[in-house]
Amino acid sequence: AKLESDLFTQVGTLTKAQAEIKSLSEDIESLLDQSQADQKNAASSALEYEEMEHQYIKMVRSLEKGMSRKSGELELAQGEVESLSVELRTLSETKKTYKIKS
């Protein structure tokens, strides 16, 4: 009877241990699934940031080209203004010369 009682106690203890092991195993699986999902999200975010960085670099390069082109246009316009200024001074001097002769 004592042996039988001890056997039932041990079986009960083993059954509880098996249930705890099963519960812990399910918890571990759940954590692994969550970890994999987190890794996928992190990888996706990294790709999104990489794409955003690529777009930003393209935009900056485009702006730099535009600024360079505008800078060239500005230099040409400044050259034209200087040239017109010289012509205006020449005409002004010529006008003074005619007034003096008149």
Side-chain angles (χ1 to χ4, degrees), residues 54-67:
H54 181 69
Q55 292 299 325
Y56 176 75
I57 289 170
K58 282 173 58 177
M59 196 168 63
V60 167
R61 286 185 181 150
S62 175
L63 287 171
E64 285 173 344
K65 286 179 185 175
M67 285 173 55

Side-chain angles (χ1 to χ4, degrees), residues 1-14:
K2 173 135 173 59
L3 187 60
E4 203 174 309
S5 171
D6 287 348
L7 192 58
F8 280 125
T9 303
Q10 288 180 354
V11 166
T13 303
L14 280 175

Side-chain angles (χ1 to χ4, degrees), residues 28-90:
I28 289 170
E29 273 187 52
S30 175
L31 287 172
L32 283 173
D33 289 346
Q34 184 60 47
S35 174
Q36 287 176 341
D38 289 348
Q39 286 176 346
K40 285 180 183 176
N41 287 339
S44 175
S45 292
L47 286 175
E48 287 174 19
Y49 283 121
E50 194 174 312
E51 180 60 26
M52 284 171 50
E53 181 183 32
H54 181 69
Q55 292 299 325
Y56 176 75
I57 289 170
K58 282 173 58 177
M59 196 168 63
V60 167
R61 286 185 181 150
S62 175
L63 287 171
E64 285 173 344
K65 286 179 185 175
M67 285 173 55
S68 177
R69 190 177 62 249
K70 290 293 178 190
S71 177
E73 290 173 9
L74 181 61
E75 286 178 24
L76 285 175
Q78 284 174 333
E80 288 178 30
V81 166
E82 288 172 12
S83 175
L84 288 172
S85 180
V86 168
E87 284 184 43
L88 184 60
R89 269 187 252 126
T90 304

